[in-house]
């Protein structure tokens, strides 16, 4: 699994810490999140799972199934408290899925293709992806980037309990990555920092585990604000 996020300038700013520094040295900065109600952006996630199976009749014959799911998550800032804590409204703006067996594509779906969603709603095979597309959730994030709370809403009636559990479990894994893993202390341009290892279930795709790395690229000016460019990468299996 690999998921990479590029933080938009509307999201992050940095306060330069006071202190002596040589002219040729970059100033260390303390990073925090800042956004205004109505601000929006998208994050792209890719999840891949490979499964090797043996035939019951002939254990020596193996087939390799590969499932690849891509999600584009749209986030809008609903409100910002005085202490900087933000409530975010989120949804999946685009979803794609590809199933391959021994390298041959068996199933391909992309909600961005014309007519795909209409066909998917009639095909039980895509019930989970359709429910993911129809779901919304709220996430509360601290100025430090730490995830504070989230609430997932999956549409459907009382008979859709199993489907709701699957979708909620998957989105819970996705939304748990909304935190931006800001460093605890001041950093200089080019600095990397690593978060602790994580392990979360991905319903239908097995388990996701790995570690998160942040990279501070540098500062720029935008609309009178000091804006930080940050790259967040999550790698693992």
């Amino acid at each position: 699994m690999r998921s990479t996020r590029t933080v938009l300038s509307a999201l992050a700013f940095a306060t330069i810490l006071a202190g002596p520094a040589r002219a040729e040295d970059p100033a260390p900065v303390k990073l925090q999140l800042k956004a205004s109600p109505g601000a929006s952006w998208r994050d792209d996630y890719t999840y891949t799972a490979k499964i090797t199976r043996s035939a019951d009749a002939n254990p020596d014959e193996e087939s390799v199934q590969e499932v690849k799911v891509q999600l584009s998550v749209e986030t809008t800032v609903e409100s910002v408290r005085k202490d900087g804590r933000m409530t975010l409204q989120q949804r999946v703006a685009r979803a794609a899925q590809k199933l391959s067996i021994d390298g041959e594509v068996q199933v391909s779906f992309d909600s961005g293709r014309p007519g795909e969603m209409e066909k998917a709603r009639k095909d039980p095979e895509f019930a989970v992806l359709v429910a993911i597309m129809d779901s919304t959730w709220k996430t509360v994030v601290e100025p430090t980037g730490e995830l504070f709370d989230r609430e997932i809403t999956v549409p459907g009636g009382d008979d859709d309990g199993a489907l709701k559990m699957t979708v909620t479990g998957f989105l819970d894994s996705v939304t748990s990555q909304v935190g931006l893993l800001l460093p605890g202390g001041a950093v200089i341009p080019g600095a990397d920092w690593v978060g602790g290892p994580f392990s979360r279930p991905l319903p239908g795709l097995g388990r996701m585990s790995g570690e998160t790395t942040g990279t501070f690229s540098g500062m720029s000016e935008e609309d009178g604000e000091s804006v930080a460019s940050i790259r967040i990468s999550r790698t693992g299996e």
Side-chain angles (χ1 to χ4, degrees):
M1 185 285 296
R2 181 174 181 84
S3 177
T4 303
R5 311 183 58 198
T6 300
V7 182
L8 301 183
S9 58
L11 266 185
F13 80 107
T15 303
I16 299 179
L17 299 182
R22 294 181 299 175
E24 65 272 19
D25 290 339
V29 295
K30 177 70 174 179
L31 304 176
Q32 288 184 306
L33 299 182
K34 181 181 180 182
S36 300
S40 62
W41 63 93
R42 286 193 181 189
D43 295 315
D44 296 319
Y45 300 89
T46 299
Y47 304 96
T48 303
K50 286 186 177 180
I51 304 172
T52 301
R53 293 181 175 175
S54 301
D56 293 336
N58 189 349
D60 294 331
E61 291 186 5
E62 294 184 340
S63 64
V64 178
Q65 296 184 7
E66 181 174 358
V67 180
K68 183 178 182 180
V69 176
Q70 296 174 292
L71 299 178
S72 181
V73 178
E74 183 178 80
T75 301
T76 301
V77 179
E78 182 177 278
S79 62
V80 182
R81 296 193 342 176
K82 289 184 178 181
D83 61 4
R85 182 183 292 175
M86 294 182 291
T87 299
L88 311 175
Q89 182 74 42
Q90 298 179 285
R91 70 180 187 91
V92 175
R94 175 181 170 270
Q97 177 180 339
K98 184 177 292 186
L99 169 63
S100 301
I101 300 179
D102 295 334
E104 294 186 7
V105 177
Q106 304 294 320
V107 177
S108 179
F109 166 81
D110 188 336
S111 65
R113 290 198 293 255
E116 285 282 270
M117 282 301 296
E118 288 75 8
K119 290 190 294 184
R121 292 186 186 281
K122 301 175 183 178
D123 189 342
E125 187 173 355
F126 295 104
V128 172
L129 270 181
V130 169
I132 288 173
M133 291 289 297
D134 290 341
S135 300
T136 59
W137 62 96
K138 287 186 178 182
T139 307
V140 181
V141 183
E142 301 283 9
T144 58
E146 182 181 0
L147 183 68
F148 178 76
D149 191 18
R150 61 181 173 271
E151 178 184 345
I152 300 171
T153 302
V154 181
D158 295 336
D159 296 335
D160 299 324
L163 177 63
K164 286 185 176 182
M165 288 182 61
T166 299
V167 173
T168 300
F170 184 82
L171 291 179
D172 184 68
S173 299
V174 173
T175 57
S176 65
Q177 301 181 61
V178 72
L180 298 180
L181 185 74
L182 298 182
V187 291
I188 61 174
D192 295 326
W193 57 93
V194 179
F198 62 86
S199 179
R200 303 184 186 99
L202 288 175
L205 292 179
R207 194 165 190 87
M208 172 181 66
S209 60
E211 66 178 16
T212 309
T213 303
T215 302
F216 173 38
S217 301
M219 302 293 301
S220 62
E221 287 288 326
E222 184 170 313
D223 298 329
E225 293 270 20
S226 295
V227 178
S229 177
I230 306 171
R231 185 175 183 84
I232 303 295
S233 297
R234 289 177 172 86
T235 58
E237 354 177 286

